[in-house]
Amino acid sequence: MKPTEELDLKAANRLLSALHRDSLVVVTAARPGKLNGQVALTALPASIVADYPRVLIELWQNNLTHDMVRESGAFCLHLLREDQLELIRTFGFYHGQDRNKFADQSYKLGELGNPRLEDCAGWLDCRLIGQLSTEDMTVFVGEVVAARRISETEPLSWTAARQLLPKEWLDEYNSTVRKQNEDWARAKLEKK
């Protein structure tokens, strides 16, 4: 599918330049009849040529969003503002099989079919151009086909978020991660 929407290279490159090793982003994807998204802690620029913006993300293979990105060949990456801690909880603490994460979100579907959050620091809508599977994660590389910088504020980092999140949320997050790691280790043992 060739996008007809014109790419704003300036917005794309400004958003890519805001990504670093401590980035906290929401990655969204779609399949027929289902939207989903997740928090990701690995998102980096993946091109040295400004006219061909690309982004690299890493998603855990047990997440629904991972499967949707692989199936659809597309994803949208969202940078958050400091006042959007609730989005971390919505997209990072729960599995997409258990709830509709978009029930209370304002979004529009982009040309690639990805949900684009209307209220965030900015987004990069991407067509999947490469992937590398590791033991538990997949690295996806996307070509940016559309971008929008919504806020001039500095995007939220994972370090800053951990300082701002309520203690009970961090406890809930750590419990969820611990359970996911145990489930993954158990599934790995069962495959042997």
Side-chain angles (χ1 to χ4, degrees), residues 151-185:
S151 169
E152 294 301 319
T153 63
E154 187 68 25
L156 182 62
S157 70
W158 181 227
T159 298
R162 284 193 311 239
Q163 300 296 318
L164 298 169
L165 288 170
K167 181 186 179 320
E168 59 272 10
W169 288 18
L170 285 173
D171 291 345
E172 180 182 0
Y173 170 79
N174 290 329
S175 174
T176 299
V177 169
R178 208 172 12 261
K179 182 182 179 327
Q180 288 175 338
N181 287 335
E182 289 167 1
D183 291 348
W184 177 80

PDB file of all heavy atoms in Angstrom, residues 151-185:
ATOM      1  N   SER A 151       2.925  18.541  20.380  1.00  0.00           N
ATOM      2  CA  SER A 151       3.321  19.356  21.526  1.00  0.00           C
ATOM      3  C   SER A 151       4.798  19.683  21.440  1.00  0.00           C
ATOM      4  O   SER A 151       5.597  18.866  21.006  1.00  0.00           O
ATOM      5  CB  SER A 151       3.033  18.580  22.815  1.00  0.00           C
ATOM      6  OG  SER A 151       3.618  19.213  23.922  1.00  0.00           O
ATOM      7  N   GLU A 152       5.153  20.855  21.882  1.00  0.00           N
ATOM      8  CA  GLU A 152       6.563  21.260  21.880  1.00  0.00           C
ATOM      9  C   GLU A 152       7.280  20.845  23.157  1.00  0.00           C
ATOM     10  O   GLU A 152       8.481  21.057  23.283  1.00  0.00           O
ATOM     11  CB  GLU A 152       6.673  22.784  21.692  1.00  0.00           C
ATOM     12  CG  GLU A 152       6.190  23.256  20.329  1.00  0.00           C
ATOM     13  CD  GLU A 152       6.946  22.628  19.170  1.00  0.00           C
ATOM     14  OE1 GLU A 152       8.190  22.480  19.254  1.00  0.00           O
ATOM     15  OE2 GLU A 152       6.296  22.245  18.178  1.00  0.00           O
ATOM     16  N   THR A 153       6.557  20.258  24.104  1.00  0.00           N
ATOM     17  CA  THR A 153       7.187  19.842  25.352  1.00  0.00           C
ATOM     18  C   THR A 153       8.124  18.667  25.106  1.00  0.00           C
ATOM     19  O   THR A 153       7.972  17.924  24.139  1.00  0.00           O
ATOM     20  CB  THR A 153       6.139  19.432  26.403  1.00  0.00           C
ATOM     21  OG1 THR A 153       5.423  18.300  25.906  1.00  0.00           O
ATOM     22  CG2 THR A 153       5.184  20.557  26.707  1.00  0.00           C
ATOM     23  N   GLU A 154       9.081  18.498  26.002  1.00  0.00           N
ATOM     24  CA  GLU A 154      10.010  17.376  25.935  1.00  0.00           C
ATOM     25  C   GLU A 154       9.231  16.090  26.202  1.00  0.00           C
ATOM     26  O   GLU A 154       8.500  15.993  27.184  1.00  0.00           O
ATOM     27  CB  GLU A 154      11.115  17.569  26.982  1.00  0.00           C
ATOM     28  CG  GLU A 154      12.219  16.569  26.911  1.00  0.00           C
ATOM     29  CD  GLU A 154      13.074  16.684  25.665  1.00  0.00           C
ATOM     30  OE1 GLU A 154      13.141  17.797  25.088  1.00  0.00           O
ATOM     31  OE2 GLU A 154      13.658  15.680  25.273  1.00  0.00           O
ATOM     32  N   PRO A 155       9.367  15.071  25.341  1.00  0.00           N
ATOM     33  CA  PRO A 155       8.641  13.818  25.562  1.00  0.00           C
ATOM     34  C   PRO A 155       9.061  13.145  26.867  1.00  0.00           C
ATOM     35  O   PRO A 155      10.195  13.281  27.332  1.00  0.00           O
ATOM     36  CB  PRO A 155       9.042  12.961  24.362  1.00  0.00           C
ATOM     37  CG  PRO A 155       9.473  13.934  23.317  1.00  0.00           C
ATOM     38  CD  PRO A 155      10.091  15.076  24.071  1.00  0.00           C
ATOM     39  N   LEU A 156       8.155  12.410  27.444  1.00  0.00           N
ATOM     40  CA  LEU A 156       8.352  11.711  28.703  1.00  0.00           C
ATOM     41  C   LEU A 156       9.339  10.561  28.532  1.00  0.00           C
ATOM     42  O   LEU A 156       9.229   9.784  27.584  1.00  0.00           O
ATOM     43  CB  LEU A 156       7.005  11.164  29.184  1.00  0.00           C
ATOM     44  CG  LEU A 156       6.962  10.428  30.508  1.00  0.00           C
ATOM     45  CD1 LEU A 156       7.368  11.352  31.650  1.00  0.00           C
ATOM     46  CD2 LEU A 156       5.558   9.881  30.747  1.00  0.00           C
ATOM     47  N   SER A 157      10.284  10.457  29.439  1.00  0.00           N
ATOM     48  CA  SER A 157      11.237   9.338  29.445  1.00  0.00           C
ATOM     49  C   SER A 157      10.798   8.329  30.505  1.00  0.00           C
ATOM     50  O   SER A 157      10.002   8.634  31.397  1.00  0.00           O
ATOM     51  CB  SER A 157      12.644   9.833  29.754  1.00  0.00           C
ATOM     52  OG  SER A 157      12.727  10.253  31.107  1.00  0.00           O
ATOM     53  N   TRP A 158      11.353   7.114  30.433  1.00  0.00           N
ATOM     54  CA  TRP A 158      11.034   6.097  31.419  1.00  0.00           C
ATOM     55  C   TRP A 158      11.585   6.500  32.792  1.00  0.00           C
ATOM     56  O   TRP A 158      10.940   6.296  33.820  1.00  0.00           O
ATOM     57  CB  TRP A 158      11.571   4.750  30.974  1.00  0.00           C
ATOM     58  CG  TRP A 158      11.290   3.613  31.900  1.00  0.00           C
ATOM     59  CD1 TRP A 158      12.186   2.686  32.328  1.00  0.00           C
ATOM     60  CD2 TRP A 158      10.034   3.254  32.510  1.00  0.00           C
ATOM     61  NE1 TRP A 158      11.581   1.780  33.171  1.00  0.00           N
ATOM     62  CE2 TRP A 158      10.244   2.109  33.306  1.00  0.00           C
ATOM     63  CE3 TRP A 158       8.758   3.797  32.477  1.00  0.00           C
ATOM     64  CZ2 TRP A 158       9.244   1.499  34.048  1.00  0.00           C
ATOM     65  CZ3 TRP A 158       7.747   3.185  33.219  1.00  0.00           C
ATOM     66  CH2 TRP A 158       7.999   2.051  33.991  1.00  0.00           C
ATOM     67  N   THR A 159      12.762   7.117  32.825  1.00  0.00           N
ATOM     68  CA  THR A 159      13.325   7.579  34.099  1.00  0.00           C
ATOM     69  C   THR A 159      12.404   8.605  34.755  1.00  0.00           C
ATOM     70  O   THR A 159      12.104   8.507  35.941  1.00  0.00           O
ATOM     71  CB  THR A 159      14.727   8.191  33.877  1.00  0.00           C
ATOM     72  OG1 THR A 159      15.589   7.175  33.359  1.00  0.00           O
ATOM     73  CG2 THR A 159      15.311   8.732  35.162  1.00  0.00           C
ATOM     74  N   ALA A 160      11.934   9.576  33.994  1.00  0.00           N
ATOM     75  CA  ALA A 160      11.027  10.591  34.540  1.00  0.00           C
ATOM     76  C   ALA A 160       9.700   9.968  34.961  1.00  0.00           C
ATOM     77  O   ALA A 160       9.151  10.305  36.020  1.00  0.00           O
ATOM     78  CB  ALA A 160      10.793  11.694  33.518  1.00  0.00           C
ATOM     79  N   ALA A 161       9.178   9.046  34.156  1.00  0.00           N
ATOM     80  CA  ALA A 161       7.902   8.407  34.483  1.00  0.00           C
ATOM     81  C   ALA A 161       7.983   7.661  35.806  1.00  0.00           C
ATOM     82  O   ALA A 161       7.069   7.740  36.627  1.00  0.00           O
ATOM     83  CB  ALA A 161       7.482   7.466  33.364  1.00  0.00           C
ATOM     84  N   ARG A 162       9.083   6.951  36.037  1.00  0.00           N
ATOM     85  CA  ARG A 162       9.231   6.208  37.300  1.00  0.00           C
ATOM     86  C   ARG A 162       9.242   7.139  38.501  1.00  0.00           C
ATOM     87  O   ARG A 162       8.801   6.762  39.586  1.00  0.00           O
ATOM     88  CB  ARG A 162      10.507   5.361  37.271  1.00  0.00           C
ATOM     89  CG  ARG A 162      10.359   4.119  36.430  1.00  0.00           C
ATOM     90  CD  ARG A 162      11.510   3.166  36.667  1.00  0.00           C
ATOM     91  NE  ARG A 162      12.782   3.853  36.585  1.00  0.00           N
ATOM     92  CZ  ARG A 162      13.749   3.567  35.748  1.00  0.00           C
ATOM     93  NH1 ARG A 162      13.613   2.593  34.880  1.00  0.00           N
ATOM     94  NH2 ARG A 162      14.877   4.244  35.750  1.00  0.00           N
ATOM     95  N   GLN A 163       9.718   8.368  38.309  1.00  0.00           N
ATOM     96  CA  GLN A 163       9.710   9.345  39.400  1.00  0.00           C
ATOM     97  C   GLN A 163       8.303   9.907  39.643  1.00  0.00           C
ATOM     98  O   GLN A 163       7.975  10.298  40.761  1.00  0.00           O
ATOM     99  CB  GLN A 163      10.663  10.506  39.074  1.00  0.00           C
ATOM    100  CG  GLN A 163      12.104  10.102  38.861  1.00  0.00           C
ATOM    101  CD  GLN A 163      12.729   9.522  40.108  1.00  0.00           C
ATOM    102  OE1 GLN A 163      12.529  10.023  41.204  1.00  0.00           O
ATOM    103  NE2 GLN A 163      13.485   8.451  39.954  1.00  0.00           N
ATOM    104  N   LEU A 164       7.489   9.943  38.595  1.00  0.00           N
ATOM    105  CA  LEU A 164       6.165  10.566  38.664  1.00  0.00           C
ATOM    106  C   LEU A 164       5.030   9.594  38.974  1.00  0.00           C
ATOM    107  O   LEU A 164       3.998  10.001  39.510  1.00  0.00           O
ATOM    108  CB  LEU A 164       5.863  11.275  37.341  1.00  0.00           C
ATOM    109  CG  LEU A 164       6.801  12.421  36.952  1.00  0.00           C
ATOM    110  CD1 LEU A 164       6.563  12.842  35.510  1.00  0.00           C
ATOM    111  CD2 LEU A 164       6.608  13.595  37.893  1.00  0.00           C
ATOM    112  N   LEU A 165       5.188   8.327  38.612  1.00  0.00           N
ATOM    113  CA  LEU A 165       4.111   7.359  38.808  1.00  0.00           C
ATOM    114  C   LEU A 165       3.868   7.110  40.298  1.00  0.00           C
ATOM    115  O   LEU A 165       4.826   7.012  41.070  1.00  0.00           O
ATOM    116  CB  LEU A 165       4.454   6.031  38.131  1.00  0.00           C
ATOM    117  CG  LEU A 165       4.406   6.018  36.606  1.00  0.00           C
ATOM    118  CD1 LEU A 165       5.005   4.725  36.072  1.00  0.00           C
ATOM    119  CD2 LEU A 165       2.978   6.190  36.107  1.00  0.00           C
ATOM    120  N   PRO A 166       2.605   6.984  40.692  1.00  0.00           N
ATOM    121  CA  PRO A 166       2.312   6.651  42.092  1.00  0.00           C
ATOM    122  C   PRO A 166       2.932   5.297  42.463  1.00  0.00           C
ATOM    123  O   PRO A 166       3.027   4.391  41.627  1.00  0.00           O
ATOM    124  CB  PRO A 166       0.779   6.564  42.128  1.00  0.00           C
ATOM    125  CG  PRO A 166       0.312   7.297  40.916  1.00  0.00           C
ATOM    126  CD  PRO A 166       1.391   7.174  39.892  1.00  0.00           C
ATOM    127  N   LYS A 167       3.338   5.146  43.727  1.00  0.00           N
ATOM    128  CA  LYS A 167       3.992   3.925  44.183  1.00  0.00           C
ATOM    129  C   LYS A 167       3.138   2.691  43.908  1.00  0.00           C
ATOM    130  O   LYS A 167       3.648   1.659  43.477  1.00  0.00           O
ATOM    131  CB  LYS A 167       4.324   4.025  45.670  1.00  0.00           C
ATOM    132  CG  LYS A 167       5.031   2.772  46.186  1.00  0.00           C
ATOM    133  CD  LYS A 167       5.234   2.807  47.674  1.00  0.00           C
ATOM    134  CE  LYS A 167       5.910   1.575  48.213  1.00  0.00           C
ATOM    135  NZ  LYS A 167       5.545   0.304  47.674  1.00  0.00           N
ATOM    136  N   GLU A 168       1.838   2.784  44.126  1.00  0.00           N
ATOM    137  CA  GLU A 168       0.979   1.615  43.905  1.00  0.00           C
ATOM    138  C   GLU A 168       0.941   1.215  42.424  1.00  0.00           C
ATOM    139  O   GLU A 168       0.815   0.035  42.099  1.00  0.00           O
ATOM    140  CB  GLU A 168      -0.439   1.817  44.471  1.00  0.00           C
ATOM    141  CG  GLU A 168      -1.202   2.982  43.917  1.00  0.00           C
ATOM    142  CD  GLU A 168      -0.959   4.300  44.659  1.00  0.00           C
ATOM    143  OE1 GLU A 168      -0.043   4.379  45.507  1.00  0.00           O
ATOM    144  OE2 GLU A 168      -1.678   5.255  44.374  1.00  0.00           O
ATOM    145  N   TRP A 169       1.060   2.184  41.526  1.00  0.00           N
ATOM    146  CA  TRP A 169       1.134   1.857  40.103  1.00  0.00           C
ATOM    147  C   TRP A 169       2.438   1.130  39.783  1.00  0.00           C
ATOM    148  O   TRP A 169       2.446   0.166  39.029  1.00  0.00           O
ATOM    149  CB  TRP A 169       1.038   3.113  39.261  1.00  0.00           C
ATOM    150  CG  TRP A 169      -0.310   3.751  39.214  1.00  0.00           C
ATOM    151  CD1 TRP A 169      -1.361   3.554  40.071  1.00  0.00           C
ATOM    152  CD2 TRP A 169      -0.750   4.699  38.259  1.00  0.00           C
ATOM    153  NE1 TRP A 169      -2.412   4.346  39.704  1.00  0.00           N
ATOM    154  CE2 TRP A 169      -2.072   5.059  38.593  1.00  0.00           C
ATOM    155  CE3 TRP A 169      -0.158   5.307  37.165  1.00  0.00           C
ATOM    156  CZ2 TRP A 169      -2.813   5.974  37.867  1.00  0.00           C
ATOM    157  CZ3 TRP A 169      -0.886   6.225  36.436  1.00  0.00           C
ATOM    158  CH2 TRP A 169      -2.205   6.545  36.777  1.00  0.00           C
ATOM    159  N   LEU A 170       3.539   1.618  40.348  1.00  0.00           N
ATOM    160  CA  LEU A 170       4.831   0.958  40.121  1.00  0.00           C
ATOM    161  C   LEU A 170       4.819  -0.455  40.685  1.00  0.00           C
ATOM    162  O   LEU A 170       5.337  -1.383  40.055  1.00  0.00           O
ATOM    163  CB  LEU A 170       5.967   1.766  40.743  1.00  0.00           C
ATOM    164  CG  LEU A 170       6.366   3.023  39.985  1.00  0.00           C
ATOM    165  CD1 LEU A 170       7.372   3.839  40.788  1.00  0.00           C
ATOM    166  CD2 LEU A 170       6.928   2.679  38.618  1.00  0.00           C
ATOM    167  N   ASP A 171       4.207  -0.634  41.841  1.00  0.00           N
ATOM    168  CA  ASP A 171       4.090  -1.975  42.425  1.00  0.00           C
ATOM    169  C   ASP A 171       3.269  -2.876  41.497  1.00  0.00           C
ATOM    170  O   ASP A 171       3.623  -4.037  41.267  1.00  0.00           O
ATOM    171  CB  ASP A 171       3.442  -1.920  43.803  1.00  0.00           C
ATOM    172  CG  ASP A 171       4.333  -1.266  44.854  1.00  0.00           C
ATOM    173  OD1 ASP A 171       5.550  -1.108  44.599  1.00  0.00           O
ATOM    174  OD2 ASP A 171       3.802  -0.890  45.929  1.00  0.00           O
ATOM    175  N   GLU A 172       2.170  -2.344  40.969  1.00  0.00           N
ATOM    176  CA  GLU A 172       1.329  -3.112  40.044  1.00  0.00           C
ATOM    177  C   GLU A 172       2.113  -3.464  38.781  1.00  0.00           C
ATOM    178  O   GLU A 172       2.066  -4.597  38.295  1.00  0.00           O
ATOM    179  CB  GLU A 172       0.079  -2.293  39.694  1.00  0.00           C
ATOM    180  CG  GLU A 172      -0.874  -2.986  38.754  1.00  0.00           C
ATOM    181  CD  GLU A 172      -2.080  -2.126  38.402  1.00  0.00           C
ATOM    182  OE1 GLU A 172      -2.191  -0.980  38.885  1.00  0.00           O
ATOM    183  OE2 GLU A 172      -2.913  -2.601  37.611  1.00  0.00           O
ATOM    184  N   TYR A 173       2.850  -2.496  38.243  1.00  0.00           N
ATOM    185  CA  TYR A 173       3.662  -2.731  37.050  1.00  0.00           C
ATOM    186  C   TYR A 173       4.705  -3.823  37.313  1.00  0.00           C
ATOM    187  O   TYR A 173       4.848  -4.766  36.531  1.00  0.00           O
ATOM    188  CB  TYR A 173       4.352  -1.437  36.613  1.00  0.00           C
ATOM    189  CG  TYR A 173       5.387  -1.645  35.546  1.00  0.00           C
ATOM    190  CD1 TYR A 173       5.015  -1.811  34.214  1.00  0.00           C
ATOM    191  CD2 TYR A 173       6.744  -1.709  35.862  1.00  0.00           C
ATOM    192  CE1 TYR A 173       5.962  -2.021  33.231  1.00  0.00           C
ATOM    193  CE2 TYR A 173       7.694  -1.919  34.886  1.00  0.00           C
ATOM    194  CZ  TYR A 173       7.301  -2.074  33.569  1.00  0.00           C
ATOM    195  OH  TYR A 173       8.245  -2.294  32.602  1.00  0.00           O
ATOM    196  N   ASN A 174       5.434  -3.698  38.417  1.00  0.00           N
ATOM    197  CA  ASN A 174       6.472  -4.682  38.739  1.00  0.00           C
ATOM    198  C   ASN A 174       5.884  -6.079  38.915  1.00  0.00           C
ATOM    199  O   ASN A 174       6.477  -7.067  38.493  1.00  0.00           O
ATOM    200  CB  ASN A 174       7.253  -4.252  39.983  1.00  0.00           C
ATOM    201  CG  ASN A 174       8.123  -3.044  39.715  1.00  0.00           C
ATOM    202  OD1 ASN A 174       8.612  -2.847  38.606  1.00  0.00           O
ATOM    203  ND2 ASN A 174       8.309  -2.209  40.727  1.00  0.00           N
ATOM    204  N   SER A 175       4.706  -6.166  39.506  1.00  0.00           N
ATOM    205  CA  SER A 175       4.028  -7.447  39.668  1.00  0.00           C
ATOM    206  C   SER A 175       3.657  -8.034  38.309  1.00  0.00           C
ATOM    207  O   SER A 175       3.831  -9.234  38.065  1.00  0.00           O
ATOM    208  CB  SER A 175       2.787  -7.259  40.537  1.00  0.00           C
ATOM    209  OG  SER A 175       2.046  -8.438  40.603  1.00  0.00           O
ATOM    210  N   THR A 176       3.138  -7.203  37.423  1.00  0.00           N
ATOM    211  CA  THR A 176       2.765  -7.650  36.077  1.00  0.00           C
ATOM    212  C   THR A 176       3.984  -8.149  35.314  1.00  0.00           C
ATOM    213  O   THR A 176       3.947  -9.213  34.690  1.00  0.00           O
ATOM    214  CB  THR A 176       2.079  -6.503  35.303  1.00  0.00           C
ATOM    215  OG1 THR A 176       0.898  -6.116  36.006  1.00  0.00           O
ATOM    216  CG2 THR A 176       1.714  -6.911  33.888  1.00  0.00           C
ATOM    217  N   VAL A 177       5.079  -7.395  35.368  1.00  0.00           N
ATOM    218  CA  VAL A 177       6.301  -7.789  34.667  1.00  0.00           C
ATOM    219  C   VAL A 177       6.837  -9.100  35.236  1.00  0.00           C
ATOM    220  O   VAL A 177       7.244  -9.994  34.492  1.00  0.00           O
ATOM    221  CB  VAL A 177       7.362  -6.667  34.741  1.00  0.00           C
ATOM    222  CG1 VAL A 177       8.726  -7.153  34.270  1.00  0.00           C
ATOM    223  CG2 VAL A 177       6.912  -5.473  33.913  1.00  0.00           C
ATOM    224  N   ARG A 178       6.826  -9.235  36.546  1.00  0.00           N
ATOM    225  CA  ARG A 178       7.295 -10.465  37.185  1.00  0.00           C
ATOM    226  C   ARG A 178       6.473 -11.666  36.708  1.00  0.00           C
ATOM    227  O   ARG A 178       7.024 -12.707  36.346  1.00  0.00           O
ATOM    228  CB  ARG A 178       7.203 -10.305  38.701  1.00  0.00           C
ATOM    229  CG  ARG A 178       8.175 -11.117  39.482  1.00  0.00           C
ATOM    230  CD  ARG A 178       8.222 -10.821  40.977  1.00  0.00           C
ATOM    231  NE  ARG A 178       7.183  -9.999  41.558  1.00  0.00           N
ATOM    232  CZ  ARG A 178       7.295  -8.687  41.822  1.00  0.00           C
ATOM    233  NH1 ARG A 178       8.393  -8.040  41.547  1.00  0.00           N
ATOM    234  NH2 ARG A 178       6.295  -8.026  42.356  1.00  0.00           N
ATOM    235  N   LYS A 179       5.144 -11.501  36.666  1.00  0.00           N
ATOM    236  CA  LYS A 179       4.272 -12.592  36.214  1.00  0.00           C
ATOM    237  C   LYS A 179       4.529 -12.918  34.750  1.00  0.00           C
ATOM    238  O   LYS A 179       4.600 -14.086  34.364  1.00  0.00           O
ATOM    239  CB  LYS A 179       2.804 -12.239  36.431  1.00  0.00           C
ATOM    240  CG  LYS A 179       1.872 -13.376  36.016  1.00  0.00           C
ATOM    241  CD  LYS A 179       0.432 -13.016  36.186  1.00  0.00           C
ATOM    242  CE  LYS A 179      -0.530 -14.094  35.764  1.00  0.00           C
ATOM    243  NZ  LYS A 179      -0.172 -14.945  34.683  1.00  0.00           N
ATOM    244  N   GLN A 180       4.681 -11.900  33.910  1.00  0.00           N
ATOM    245  CA  GLN A 180       4.959 -12.148  32.493  1.00  0.00           C
ATOM    246  C   GLN A 180       6.275 -12.900  32.314  1.00  0.00           C
ATOM    247  O   GLN A 180       6.362 -13.820  31.494  1.00  0.00           O
ATOM    248  CB  GLN A 180       5.006 -10.828  31.718  1.00  0.00           C
ATOM    249  CG  GLN A 180       3.662 -10.183  31.530  1.00  0.00           C
ATOM    250  CD  GLN A 180       3.761  -8.822  30.867  1.00  0.00           C
ATOM    251  OE1 GLN A 180       4.784  -8.161  30.897  1.00  0.00           O
ATOM    252  NE2 GLN A 180       2.665  -8.398  30.263  1.00  0.00           N
ATOM    253  N   ASN A 181       7.284 -12.533  33.072  1.00  0.00           N
ATOM    254  CA  ASN A 181       8.576 -13.215  32.976  1.00  0.00           C
ATOM    255  C   ASN A 181       8.461 -14.673  33.433  1.00  0.00           C
ATOM    256  O   ASN A 181       9.057 -15.561  32.817  1.00  0.00           O
ATOM    257  CB  ASN A 181       9.644 -12.479  33.789  1.00  0.00           C
ATOM    258  CG  ASN A 181      10.076 -11.195  33.122  1.00  0.00           C
ATOM    259  OD1 ASN A 181       9.975 -11.037  31.908  1.00  0.00           O
ATOM    260  ND2 ASN A 181      10.551 -10.252  33.922  1.00  0.00           N
ATOM    261  N   GLU A 182       7.703 -14.913  34.484  1.00  0.00           N
ATOM    262  CA  GLU A 182       7.489 -16.283  34.952  1.00  0.00           C
ATOM    263  C   GLU A 182       6.741 -17.099  33.907  1.00  0.00           C
ATOM    264  O   GLU A 182       7.092 -18.251  33.628  1.00  0.00           O
ATOM    265  CB  GLU A 182       6.718 -16.274  36.272  1.00  0.00           C
ATOM    266  CG  GLU A 182       7.527 -15.762  37.443  1.00  0.00           C
ATOM    267  CD  GLU A 182       6.683 -15.466  38.681  1.00  0.00           C
ATOM    268  OE1 GLU A 182       5.436 -15.684  38.645  1.00  0.00           O
ATOM    269  OE2 GLU A 182       7.256 -15.002  39.684  1.00  0.00           O
ATOM    270  N   ASP A 183       5.686 -16.504  33.305  1.00  0.00           N
ATOM    271  CA  ASP A 183       4.928 -17.194  32.257  1.00  0.00           C
ATOM    272  C   ASP A 183       5.811 -17.522  31.065  1.00  0.00           C
ATOM    273  O   ASP A 183       5.740 -18.610  30.494  1.00  0.00           O
ATOM    274  CB  ASP A 183       3.732 -16.349  31.806  1.00  0.00           C
ATOM    275  CG  ASP A 183       2.654 -16.229  32.867  1.00  0.00           C
ATOM    276  OD1 ASP A 183       2.705 -16.975  33.876  1.00  0.00           O
ATOM    277  OD2 ASP A 183       1.765 -15.364  32.704  1.00  0.00           O
ATOM    278  N   TRP A 184       6.654 -16.555  30.675  1.00  0.00           N
ATOM    279  CA  TRP A 184       7.549 -16.759  29.545  1.00  0.00           C
ATOM    280  C   TRP A 184       8.539 -17.884  29.843  1.00  0.00           C
ATOM    281  O   TRP A 184       8.769 -18.768  29.009  1.00  0.00           O
ATOM    282  CB  TRP A 184       8.295 -15.466  29.201  1.00  0.00           C
ATOM    283  CG  TRP A 184       9.269 -15.654  28.097  1.00  0.00           C
ATOM    284  CD1 TRP A 184       8.999 -15.691  26.762  1.00  0.00           C
ATOM    285  CD2 TRP A 184      10.680 -15.852  28.222  1.00  0.00           C
ATOM    286  NE1 TRP A 184      10.161 -15.903  26.056  1.00  0.00           N
ATOM    287  CE2 TRP A 184      11.196 -16.004  26.933  1.00  0.00           C
ATOM    288  CE3 TRP A 184      11.540 -15.921  29.313  1.00  0.00           C
ATOM    289  CZ2 TRP A 184      12.547 -16.222  26.695  1.00  0.00           C
ATOM    290  CZ3 TRP A 184      12.886 -16.136  29.074  1.00  0.00           C
ATOM    291  CH2 TRP A 184      13.375 -16.280  27.776  1.00  0.00           C
ATOM    292  N   ALA A 185       9.141 -17.878  31.048  1.00  0.00           N
ATOM    293  CA  ALA A 185      10.110 -18.911  31.422  1.00  0.00           C
ATOM    294  C   ALA A 185       9.434 -20.295  31.453  1.00  0.00           C
ATOM    295  O   ALA A 185      10.011 -21.285  30.991  1.00  0.00           O
ATOM    296  CB  ALA A 185      10.733 -18.588  32.775  1.00  0.00           C
TER     297      ALA A 185
END
